Amino acid sequence: MSEREELGNGDLLQHRCRRFIKEATLKRLDCIVGTRPNFVKIAPIIRALLRREGFAVRLVHTGQHYDVALNAVFFDELGIPDPDVNLEVGSGTHTEQTARIMLALESVLTNDRPDMLIVVGDVNSTLAATLVASKMLIPVAHVEAGLRSNDRAMPEEVNRIVTDSLCDLLLTTERSASDNLLREGARPERIGFVGNVMIDTLHACLERAVPAGRTFDEIGAGVVASRAEKSGYGFVTLHRPSNVDDEAQLRGLIEALCEITHAIPLLFAVHPRTRAKMEAAGLGRLFEDGRLLATPPLSYLRSLGLMREARLVITDSGGIQEETTALGVPCLTVRDNTERPITIAEGTNTLVGTSPAALKEAAADVLVNGGKCGRVPELWDGNAAERIVDHVRTFLAFR
């Protein structure tokens, strides 16, 4: 039955008028993602927006992470709708990638202008989208604002500082981040302490996390799995330039991991950047005895299952510092600084520096003494996305 037949001519006109008015009053939000950690953060925000009336949501994927197969797995596991727009920018230097995103996104926003952008994290996509929107006078909300490592040698630190200086709404994961923003001159009314939206996703997915034993079996690591049943295992990720770009530093860290495997097997999910550097340095032989097990990047549910059951996690990832704190799993962060100090002050994270010797010593201490217990920080309760939407609604209502 057609709309006209169902309603009649008079009612049809009123129905269409009401629908037009409703659509005209919707606040149109563009959610920007570019990398897989962005997917983890944006998923609960999109769900929270769609549960509320008054919002029309468009998901824009810049294509900064362009592994189509693995991206599809993340979208499926996290329940994210297919992107409405995919800019497909691909790889390049930081400048090249940022510039390509800006050029492509400007056209999208010009043709179909939203009321607000929501950006997450600290990647090039976050910076590029914020720059474009700011020049077009489109307000921007930054989720995960105010985090600082105080190390401008990190590209992400530059992205954080510039993004926060331009954004209209600054939504923080911990109180120290709010303090950072106030010291930098942000107006208090622009800042909202909402908690950690990554933990929303962790809570939503924990029951579906792939058990570690199943992952070991499916990647053909039965010997490691058998040993892990007796001693436990460790989970490793390393990808930052400070750890993998210098051959001597990378070699030292891989050799340290190999020594740690005499006490406990390690599963190393190898980032494509790290793999390329390892192959160039001829480090493949260090994996030959099977105690240090290398795999390609893993899906979110597999990584979550491995972190949950690990005796320790070794990483240089910011997000994993937070996830291990939420899970209560000891984490050794192979960096000289961190933008997530609450994971050290209250959580299970230990900053060990980039020295291979320090890493071995810290791992031995965890295996003997059990590592830090910690506690879950304030507002890391699985409801951050709802608070984010409350702040967005209030901001838009006053414009």
Side-chain angles (χ1 to χ4, degrees):
M1 181 181 294
S2 70
E3 189 179 45
R4 182 181 300 276
E5 291 171 330
E6 183 177 355
L7 296 171
N9 287 336
D11 291 339
L12 177 61
L13 179 59
Q14 292 184 27
H15 172 72
R16 287 181 173 173
C17 286
R18 284 194 298 269
R19 185 173 65 188
F20 175 80
I21 292 170
K22 181 179 180 181
E23 290 176 353
T25 58
L26 290 176
K27 296 298 184 181
R28 301 179 58 255
L29 303 176
D30 278 1
C31 295
I32 310 297
V33 294
T35 67
R36 285 180 282 280
N38 287 172
F39 306 163
V40 177
K41 296 165 190 172
I42 210 68
I45 297 172
I46 290 178
R47 285 196 295 272
L49 286 168
L50 294 177
R51 282 194 294 267
R52 306 284 190 96
E53 291 186 356
F55 294 113
V57 182
R58 179 170 64 171
L59 181 60
V60 179
H61 184 5
T62 69
Q64 183 176 333
H65 274 183
Y66 51 91
D67 182 328
V68 176
L70 193 54
N71 284 358
V73 170
F74 266 73
F75 272 64
D76 181 60
E77 288 184 343
L78 299 174
I80 303 174
D82 290 338
D84 299 285
V85 178
N86 193 329
L87 304 181
E88 299 180 338
V89 298
S91 63
T93 68
H94 287 281
T95 302
E96 289 170 339
Q97 195 174 64
T98 302
R100 284 202 295 268
I101 295 169
M102 291 180 69
L103 289 168
L105 185 59
E106 182 181 46
S107 176
V108 171
L109 300 183
T110 299
N111 292 331
D112 193 359
R113 183 186 178 94
D115 293 296
M116 188 174 208
L117 260 62
I118 297 178
V119 299
V120 295
D122 54 19
V123 298
N124 291 339
S125 298
T126 300
L127 171 63
T130 301
L131 285 167
V132 173
S134 296
K135 288 181 177 291
M136 297 180 66
L137 302 181
I138 299 171
V140 185
H142 182 204
V143 174
E144 208 177 77
L147 297 179
R148 297 290 183 267
S149 68
N150 299 309
D151 179 5
R152 294 204 184 188
M154 294 176 61
E156 296 89 346
E157 183 75 352
V158 175
N159 291 351
R160 294 180 200 114
I161 293 169
V162 177
T163 296
D164 286 340
S165 70
L166 295 173
C167 280
D168 303 86
L169 185 57
L170 300 164
L171 303 169
T172 63
T173 60
E174 55 182 90
R175 292 194 182 276
S176 67
S178 301
D179 295 338
N180 291 337
L181 293 167
L182 290 170
R183 277 195 299 272
E184 293 171 5
R187 297 193 309 274
E189 62 270 20
R190 292 172 55 208
I191 303 169
F193 172 44
V194 295
N196 195 329
V197 76
M198 284 191 72
I199 308 308
D200 291 21
T201 295
L202 185 147
H203 279 286
C205 293
L206 200 54
E207 288 186 1
R208 295 186 292 119
V210 178
R214 180 173 145 194
T215 295
F216 282 125
D217 289 342
E218 291 180 357
I219 63 177
V223 174
V224 175
S226 176
R227 187 171 168 225
E229 287 181 2
K230 301 174 183 177
S231 64
Y233 66 89
F235 180 56
V236 181
T237 76
L238 295 170
H239 74 280
R240 293 197 177 274
S242 57
N243 283 325
V244 307
D245 280 8
D246 180 80
E247 181 177 328
Q249 172 67 9
L250 178 59
R251 182 179 296 276
L253 289 175
I254 300 298
E255 289 175 348
L257 294 175
C258 288
E259 290 194 37
I260 294 169
T261 63
H262 288 286
I264 187 173
L266 299 176
L267 189 148
F268 186 0
V270 184
H271 190 280
R273 175 191 184 87
T274 307
R275 183 172 294 278
K277 299 295 183 181
M278 287 168 52
E279 290 174 353
L283 296 175
R285 62 176 182 79
L286 297 176
F287 293 83
E288 290 175 357
D289 64 10
R291 293 195 307 265
L292 179 57
L293 180 65
T295 73
L298 300 170
S299 75
Y300 179 75
L301 292 181
R302 285 192 186 279
S303 297
L304 183 57
L306 287 164
M307 281 191 288
R308 177 180 60 185
E309 299 178 41
R311 282 184 65 186
L312 80 161
V313 171
I314 298 170
T315 190
D316 56 13
S317 160
I320 288 178
Q321 295 172 53
E322 296 175 325
E323 289 165 333
T324 48
T325 280
L327 292 167
V329 175
C331 178
L332 304 179
T333 297
V334 187
R335 287 170 50 182
D336 293 322
N337 50 60
T338 179
E339 65 284 355
R340 293 163 166 85
I342 200 167
T343 64
I344 296 172
E346 298 185 15
T348 59
N349 186 25
T350 301
L351 201 63
V352 301
T354 57
S355 160
L359 173 59
K360 289 186 291 184
E361 182 180 347
D365 181 67
V366 170
L367 295 177
V368 171
N369 298 313
K372 293 173 69 173
C373 295
R375 68 179 183 86
V376 177
E378 181 184 8
L379 297 190
W380 291 24
D381 56 6
N383 297 308
E386 296 295 337
R387 290 186 284 268
I388 289 167
V389 175
D390 287 340
H391 279 278
V392 168
R393 183 189 289 279
T394 299
F395 176 88
L396 291 173
F398 278 97
R399 283 183 63 81

